[in-house]
């Protein structure tokens, strides 16, 4: 192709997924989650269709405070980097609970509305053949009109979803409007993670001086 006929791709309206390994939280957070899971197991019978235990909130738990702070600070940085005027807002973890998915359990595709701006996960246990995170293209028109991808093992513009294999200590952040789900757990060992949502509130402004 000549120089005049070369097309210049300009990707727009991107969906960004953020991952990071933070194993330094694993020890303390696992202790906090184990205690809450024992309470959940004493109160709830495991469902046969979706065999999963969910805990009450971890917010304010001394063993999880460092992780909670890391999530809130990372969320602010992500939103600022995406171009939002975050100087007017502070981020806070509005939902913060653990899930233990047993064999054959999974999670259907969904998003988190009602004031949530970011969603994510922090993995504690991720056995081989366990659940994988599936992130879905949020554009229904593209999904409905999509052609078959050439190679499903590669992530390209043709994909309608992608899979992320979790590891203990991995944190994942996405915008809350990006649909996600979990594949079914094929392992005999449970998959355990913290699911969190982040919201914002207006930043406090110093009082204006009174001019007499």
């Amino acid at each position: 192709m000549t120089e005049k006929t070369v097309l210049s791709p300009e990707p727009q309206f991107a969906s960004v997924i953020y991952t990071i390994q933070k194993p330094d939280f694993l020890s303390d957070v696992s202790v906090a989650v184990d205690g809450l899971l024992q309470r959940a197991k004493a109160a709830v019978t495991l469902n046969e269709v979706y065999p999963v235990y969910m805990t009450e909130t971890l917010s304010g738990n001394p063993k999880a405070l460092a992780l909670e702070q890391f999530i809130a600070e990372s969320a602010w940085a992500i939103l600022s980097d995406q171009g939002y005027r975050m100087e007017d807002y502070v981020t806070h973890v509005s939902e913060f609970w653990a899930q233990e998915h047993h064999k054959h359990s999974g999670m259907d595709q969904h998003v988190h509305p009602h004031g949530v701006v970011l969603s994510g996960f922090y993995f504690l246990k991720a056995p081989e053949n366990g659940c994988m995170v599936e992130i879905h293209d949020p554009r229904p028109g593209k999904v409905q009109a999509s052609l078959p991808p050439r190679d499903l093992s590669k992530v390209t513009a043709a994909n309608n979803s992608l899979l992320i294999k979790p590891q203990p200590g991995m944190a994942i952040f996405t915008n809350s409007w990006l649909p996600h789900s979990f594949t079914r757990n094929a392992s005999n060992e449970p998959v355990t993670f913290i699911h969190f949502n982040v919201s914002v509130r207006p930043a406090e402004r110093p009082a204006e001086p009174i001019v007499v």
Side-chain angles (χ1 to χ4, degrees):
M1 298 179 72
T2 64
E3 184 177 347
K4 289 185 178 180
T5 60
V6 174
L7 300 176
S8 299
E10 297 181 6
Q12 300 294 337
F13 307 113
S15 300
V16 186
I17 302 164
Y18 304 82
T19 65
I20 187 173
Q21 287 292 335
K22 295 295 290 184
D24 39 314
F25 298 122
L26 272 174
S27 179
D28 281 350
V29 173
S30 294
V31 171
V33 168
D34 285 346
L36 292 180
L37 281 173
Q38 292 306 314
R39 292 171 59 172
K41 291 174 183 179
V44 177
T45 301
L46 199 62
N47 185 284
E48 293 184 359
V49 179
Y50 286 97
V52 56
Y53 290 109
M54 297 197 188
T55 72
E56 59 195 85
T57 183
L58 279 149
S59 186
N61 190 303
K63 293 287 188 180
L65 279 177
L67 174 61
E68 188 173 5
Q69 182 176 359
F70 166 76
I71 292 169
E73 292 175 353
S74 298
W76 194 98
I78 287 170
L79 293 166
S80 179
D81 185 66
Q82 288 183 348
Y84 295 101
R85 194 172 60 199
M86 293 306 294
E87 293 78 8
D88 293 339
Y89 299 95
V90 294
T91 48
H92 64 99
V93 180
S94 50
E95 293 175 287
F96 192 42
W97 77 107
Q99 301 183 14
E100 184 181 82
H101 289 263
H102 290 255
K103 189 167 186 177
H104 303 313
S105 181
M107 186 188 297
D108 295 333
Q109 181 182 159
H110 65 285
V111 298
H112 291 274
H114 309 306
V116 175
V117 292
L118 290 177
S119 296
F121 317 94
Y122 182 74
F123 289 90
L124 304 176
K125 297 179 182 178
E128 193 67 27
N129 298 320
C131 303
M132 289 203 290
V133 185
E134 186 166 12
I135 307 295
H136 302 266
D137 193 314
R139 301 166 297 174
K142 187 270 182 187
V143 173
Q144 293 169 22
S146 188
L147 295 171
R150 178 186 296 114
D151 187 348
L152 284 172
S153 68
K154 297 179 180 179
V155 178
T156 69
N159 287 74
N160 289 330
S161 68
L162 61 89
L163 295 172
I164 300 174
K165 183 178 176 60
Q167 300 173 7
M170 174 187 282
I172 300 175
F173 294 78
T174 71
N175 292 92
S176 61
W177 43 259
L178 193 56
H180 59 263
S181 63
F182 275 76
T183 63
R184 295 276 182 164
N185 183 10
S187 172
N188 291 321
E189 299 297 321
V191 175
T192 308
F193 59 87
I194 289 174
H195 201 342
F196 58 83
N197 290 320
V198 178
S199 301
V200 300
R201 57 174 175 261
E204 293 184 4
R205 302 289 187 186
E208 294 291 334
I210 298 175
V211 178
V212 179

